Amino acid sequence: MSYTTTTVEQLPSKEEIINRVSRLRLVGDQEDKAEIEQQETKRIGPKYPAYLPVWDKTKFPDWEEIPHIDPGSRATKEKKNLFVSGSTHREITPAIGEEIEGVQLSQLTPEGLDDLALLAAERGLLVFRKQDFKDIGPEKQLEIVRHFGRLHIHPTMGHPEGYPEMHVVYRDPKDSTISRYVKSNEVQKISSVQWHADHVAEIQPPGITFFFALEAPPSGGDTIFASATEAYNRLSDEFKKRLEGLSVVHTNKGMLEHSEASGGPVRFTPRETLHPLVRTHPVTGEKILAIHGGHATRIYGYKQEESDYLFNFLLDVLAKGHDFQTRVHYQEGTVAVWDNRTVLHSALYDFKGDERRHVIRIAAMAETPF
């Protein structure tokens, strides 16, 4: 089977249609109707087939460092271009997250997007419900996120055909390509939690990230977030002194080798980068604990045991910091926007195996960490 296409369920046969009709309840309450609709939804194909993943193996030039001006530097302190008339917003928790209503992301002006960038830097995570963002088309979606920087291209994963800047997060047990390639919902550990920030091995890792739901299970499939800014703030002043000046070695070599061994794409040359363990946000000036699972391998200059000891302690700070964590449950039309520099996150593969989850990520690359 080729990994460059995605198998989609065919329309039901004549016999299946007859079988369905024979099961229809002509009289029933709203609960009966809802149950029937839910069962029928499971039988049909995805609602947004244009956003199904393909594993195109096109090679791209490796990223080169370019100047980056954070849009948040142009924002208004009071976010007057984001919080339009009639909108409301509330903190999800004191330390992280803001939920905003009455704002359509698709209608924001460039000045409104600047304000959004600053709020994301300050709060880490922004959640917008009932958005039309999923229906405005790829060109417009990419145009909006491009406001925040050049768009990242995932080195290995699937994207909608013709749009490599979109990373498709798709789980569907009825899709044979998906099940062969990414093992839908299969978790090899007790917990599926793996705290990380996205693509920290890049010279200029992503900053502002849009994650919008096309289809989502009724429960589960959430993303959990932790504030790396607040995690740093919780450390003692003496301990902070010992972290200053340390750098972390990051590499995406393992991810690319795994994709190649699976017959998947390898769109860029493997990269190894050195980034500070404590970085500074270019707009807020806040210090950020830049410790991640995944692509971070060791602290530069430390022996492996020393590096592991400090890594494990700092990751433990994040994992146990429930008072600076939160989670997002997705519904169709939900858009989560986060600053990939200031938060860590993890997917949760806790939803049932027979449910479809179809989400799209678009990420804008930010400055070289300092």
Side-chain angles (χ1 to χ4, degrees), residues 65-128:
E65 186 174 358
I66 62 172
H68 175 78
I69 299 175
D70 195 290
S73 64
R74 303 187 292 263
T76 62
K77 184 178 180 181
E78 64 276 20
K79 323 296 188 305
K80 65 180 181 180
N81 301 302
L82 174 63
F83 299 138
V84 296
S85 177
S87 66
T88 61
H89 57 102
R90 66 172 184 86
E91 291 183 351
I92 299 175
T93 77
I96 181 174
E98 192 105 349
E99 185 145 349
I100 302 167
E101 295 184 0
V103 172
Q104 280 292 338
L105 290 166
S106 63
Q107 302 302 315
L108 286 176
T109 63
E111 293 77 16
L113 295 174
D114 291 344
D115 285 358
L116 183 147
L118 177 57
L119 185 63
E122 293 171 343
R123 300 296 300 157
L125 165 71
L126 312 177
V127 181
F128 298 83

Side-chain angles (χ1 to χ4, degrees), residues 201-233:
E202 304 288 12
I203 295 176
Q204 294 174 264
I208 298 299
T209 300
F210 277 52
F211 198 64
F212 60 99
L214 303 174
E215 293 185 74
S219 66
D222 300 355
T223 306
I224 52 176
F225 292 87
S227 172
T229 305
E230 187 61 21
Y232 176 80
N233 292 337

Side-chain angles (χ1 to χ4, degrees), residues 118-161:
L118 177 57
L119 185 63
E122 293 171 343
R123 300 296 300 157
L125 165 71
L126 312 177
V127 181
F128 298 83
R129 305 286 186 186
K130 300 178 182 178
Q131 295 290 301
D132 63 4
F133 193 84
K134 62 185 174 57
D135 297 310
I136 62 177
E139 298 293 345
K140 181 67 173 176
Q141 291 158 351
L142 294 174
E143 177 188 343
I144 290 172
V145 185
R146 194 176 282 113
H147 179 85
F148 305 99
R150 60 176 170 173
L151 299 181
H152 185 257
I153 296 173
H154 199 291
T156 64
M157 294 302 291
H159 59 75
E161 188 166 8

Side-chain angles (χ1 to χ4, degrees), residues 43-69:
R43 293 189 183 98
I44 64 176
K47 294 182 178 180
Y48 289 81
Y51 289 87
L52 286 170
V54 298
W55 278 271
D56 184 86
K57 297 184 180 181
T58 300
K59 295 280 188 177
F60 292 90
D62 291 332
W63 301 110
E64 295 183 358
E65 186 174 358
I66 62 172
H68 175 78
I69 299 175

